[in-house]
Amino acid sequence: AAAAGGAQQASSSLMSLDNTPNFFANLADAMQLNDAVEAIAQLADQYPAQMAAFVYLALLPPSPIFGIVDYFLLRPIDDLIISTTLTPNNFRVGPKLGEGNFGRTFEGLRTGGLGRAPEYEPRYGAQTDQEKRNRVVLKRIGTGTFASTDDARSDFLSRGTVARGAVEVGLTESYMNGVLRRSLCPGIAQYIGRFNVTRNNNDNLDFSMGSEWLLFGFGS
């Protein structure tokens, strides 16, 4: 009976979150010790449930805590920086590379703010060594001639709902590529960013008004 009572008490202790404040206090102390690994191991033995929850939420990918911080803090900052550096006037659209249900991809060229860069011949793509070094991959979200971000729900990402239609899938692709870039994930295509074509940033007739474009490194 005593053994059964002890087992029940231990089980109840594992499932209880009453000790969570003590767990975080001890975790902070453990990180300041010289032998932090041993101290954290002892902490895991003392607070197994809290340690498992902490590892899952903060350390194991995909980390829910990182996802929240990224969406509400890092993503807006990243978008603000990109919006000031990527505009349609910095690129030209070259030959089409491919097309599918969720968008069209093109060879593109960085023009360094030179607008249409008339010496570049879009039909043939990059010809000179300088042009080849400035190549990028441009992907237009959506497939229709008039597809734009106006076709997407404004809150579908923040609500965590499933993407509907080519435009929302493209916006999800943009968001996920940004997450991977911000988390320094190796082994993926070099994602540069995205831009939306508005009346304020478009003097380049290569890009239709209201369209959304993703940019990747060429050959990455």
Side-chain angles (χ1 to χ4, degrees), residues 184-195:
L184 304 178
C185 182
I188 62 172
Q190 179 194 1
Y191 177 65
I192 300 172
R194 67 185 178 95
F195 59 80

Side-chain angles (χ1 to χ4, degrees), residues 1-11:
Q8 184 177 2
Q9 182 178 2
S11 175

Side-chain angles (χ1 to χ4, degrees), residues 26-162:
N26 292 332
L27 178 63
D29 293 338
M31 298 302 293
Q32 299 175 12
L33 298 177
N34 292 331
D35 196 356
V37 174
E38 182 178 352
I40 292 175
Q42 294 176 354
L43 192 62
D45 289 337
Q46 187 175 1
Y47 304 99
Q50 287 84 356
M51 179 61 79
F54 174 75
V55 169
Y56 168 72
L57 292 173
L59 302 179
L60 290 181
S63 165
I65 290 180
F66 173 80
I68 294 172
V69 172
D70 179 82
Y71 187 84
F72 291 103
L73 179 62
L74 300 182
R75 180 187 63 87
I77 295 174
D78 196 26
D79 287 346
L80 179 62
I81 295 173
I82 288 177
S83 67
T84 62
T85 57
L86 296 181
T87 69
N89 295 327
N90 290 323
F91 301 93
R92 285 222 60 185
V93 178
K96 185 169 67 175
L97 301 176
E99 181 175 358
N101 290 333
F102 301 113
R104 300 169 182 166
T105 57
F106 301 84
E107 176 185 315
L109 179 73
R110 287 182 181 269
T111 62
L114 298 178
R116 290 185 59 79
E119 70 279 3
Y120 174 69
E121 177 50 65
R123 291 179 299 173
Y124 304 114
Q127 299 294 313
T128 68
D129 291 340
Q130 180 66 32
E131 288 177 347
K132 291 178 180 178
R133 285 192 293 269
N134 289 334
R135 284 182 298 181
V136 294
V137 173
L138 290 163
K139 178 179 179 181
R140 177 175 176 170
I141 296 175
T143 56
T145 303
F146 301 104
S148 74
T149 51
D150 293 336
D151 301 326
R153 293 167 293 166
S154 60
D155 60 348
F156 83 97
L157 279 174
S158 61
R159 292 174 57 191
T161 56
V162 176

Side-chain angles (χ1 to χ4, degrees), residues 4-17:
Q8 184 177 2
Q9 182 178 2
S11 175
S12 176
S13 176
L14 288 178
M15 298 303 294
S16 175
L17 297 179

